Amino acid sequence: MSMVREDRAPFGVWHTWYRVTGDLGNGRPPLVVLHGGPGCTHDYVDSLKDIAATGRAVVHYDQLGNGRSTHLPEKGADFWTVELFLDELDNLLRHLGIADSYHVFGQSWGGMLGSEHAIRQPKGLRSLVIANSPPSMRLWVEEANRLRAELPADVQATLLRHEAAGTTTTAEYQQAMLAFYERHVCRVVPMPDEVARTFKAIEDDPTVYFTMNGPSEFHVIGTLKDWSVIGRLDRIQVPVLLISGRHDEATPKVVQPFADEIPDVRWTIFEQSSHMPHVEEREACMELVAGFLDEQDRPGRA
């Protein structure tokens, strides 16, 4: 069984909670896992700890404002920026002493953050896995609304009514939203505990999710609504693995610009999955990711 260590990294006057599974000092570049949201927690990507069985340490953390890290419900839209979370990641890498050699796995918003990180060409980044992510929020919303239009008519009507009235926190809206989630977010029903824990955490403190995203996956009215990395992706100089699900809200049309613009890229679509192949097809997903990381660590790779 891998060793597990939890602690907090000081980040300005706040702190970032993290957990390391495995031995950071064994000479193999660790995998740093960036969770989604923005506003989720590490819980729903907990399965990535499986990679530690291959002898590679895995670092999970809760981004600022979420989970076991410092919560700041009083902070407004000017505070919660992409730059903030990039700075937090850099701070954590330095704190753990791994900034000179590491891999990144970013899921959904985590992949957006990971791509922004890689565009900066940090010297220690060995490779990047972008899982179930959009390179553009406009593209994401366009496709999410196409998928939403395939929901039962009564569900669509409920969603529209509450969005127009600004009553998206009601139980009825949440229930209608679940119909979309069960098709395009996580097709394992009932929802696995680790996924449910993350959704409960957003419910308990929706500050980051509501500010940056909005009330749901397809009603994006937050500060990220115009975000895009299209046109900048050619600056990514490390090998990239793209992962998505056949039923994913990150549809092939959404993911395509990553495949078109990143110089060294490969893409796997999991046929039985939606937005969480790491949960829905766990074993196959871990095998793919572990193999990709091992390939990058072979002698001769820069």
Side-chain angles (χ1 to χ4, degrees), residues 50 92 136 165 219 231 247 261 277 286:
D50 293 358
L92 182 63
S136 153
H219 194 48
H247 309 280
E261 294 187 22
M286 295 309 135

Side-chain angles (χ1 to χ4, degrees), residues 13-143:
V13 296
W14 314 296
H15 65 248
T16 302
W17 173 90
Y18 66 87
R19 184 188 73 202
V20 180
T21 307
D23 179 8
L24 276 181
N26 69 3
R28 300 193 71 190
L31 177 64
V32 181
V33 181
L34 313 184
H35 67 66
C40 289
T41 63
H42 77 283
D43 299 86
Y44 83 98
V45 282
D46 186 62
S47 60
L48 269 298
K49 68 187 179 191
D50 293 358
I51 301 285
T54 67
R56 182 186 308 282
V58 179
V59 179
H60 282 82
Y61 72 103
D62 286 335
Q63 294 161 23
L64 192 68
N66 308 293
R68 302 177 196 181
S69 294
T70 307
H71 284 244
L72 297 157
E74 73 284 359
K75 296 290 189 183
D78 58 336
F79 180 80
W80 302 109
T81 62
V82 173
E83 197 71 28
L84 171 76
F85 292 108
L86 286 170
D87 289 348
E88 181 185 33
L89 173 56
D90 288 343
N91 180 72
L92 182 63
L93 294 171
R94 287 192 300 270
H95 177 82
L96 293 172
I98 59 174
D100 59 347
S101 187
Y102 61 96
H103 300 275
V104 165
F105 179 103
Q107 199 278 335
S108 198
W109 147 253
M112 295 159 62
L113 188 61
S115 67
E116 289 274 17
H117 179 70
I119 282 166
R120 292 174 156 197
Q121 301 176 359
K123 286 188 171 59
L125 181 64
R126 302 293 297 265
S127 75
L128 171 64
V129 182
I130 299 175
N132 323 100
S133 305
S136 153
M137 285 305 277
R138 286 179 183 270
L139 194 53
W140 169 272
V141 170
E142 183 185 305
E143 282 294 276

Side-chain angles (χ1 to χ4, degrees), residues 136-245:
S136 153
M137 285 305 277
R138 286 179 183 270
L139 194 53
W140 169 272
V141 170
E142 183 185 305
E143 282 294 276
N145 282 308
R146 182 181 66 78
L147 296 175
R148 170 180 165 150
E150 296 170 2
L151 293 171
D154 59 327
V155 174
Q156 291 186 56
T158 301
L159 292 169
L160 275 173
R161 188 170 71 253
H162 286 289
E163 286 162 6
T167 49
T168 53
T169 55
T170 59
E172 192 183 31
Y173 183 81
Q174 301 300 316
Q175 194 57 44
M177 208 164 65
L178 203 58
F180 181 89
Y181 282 40
E182 286 179 356
R183 286 188 184 197
H184 302 298
V185 180
C186 184
R187 291 167 74 85
V188 180
V189 179
M191 201 178 275
D193 285 347
E194 69 268 28
V195 181
R197 283 200 303 275
T198 283
F199 282 120
K200 177 71 168 68
I202 296 176
E203 194 182 313
D204 290 345
D205 184 357
T207 305
V208 181
Y209 186 72
F210 279 14
T211 303
M212 295 183 76
N213 183 83
S216 71
E217 297 296 279
F218 37 76
H219 194 48
V220 179
I221 53 176
T223 56
L224 282 177
K225 66 180 188 295
D226 297 321
W227 176 88
S228 175
V229 282
I230 293 173
R232 294 188 284 141
L233 292 165
D234 61 340
R235 296 181 211 168
I236 296 178
Q237 296 186 326
V238 296
V240 174
L241 170 64
L242 297 174
I243 290 173
S244 60

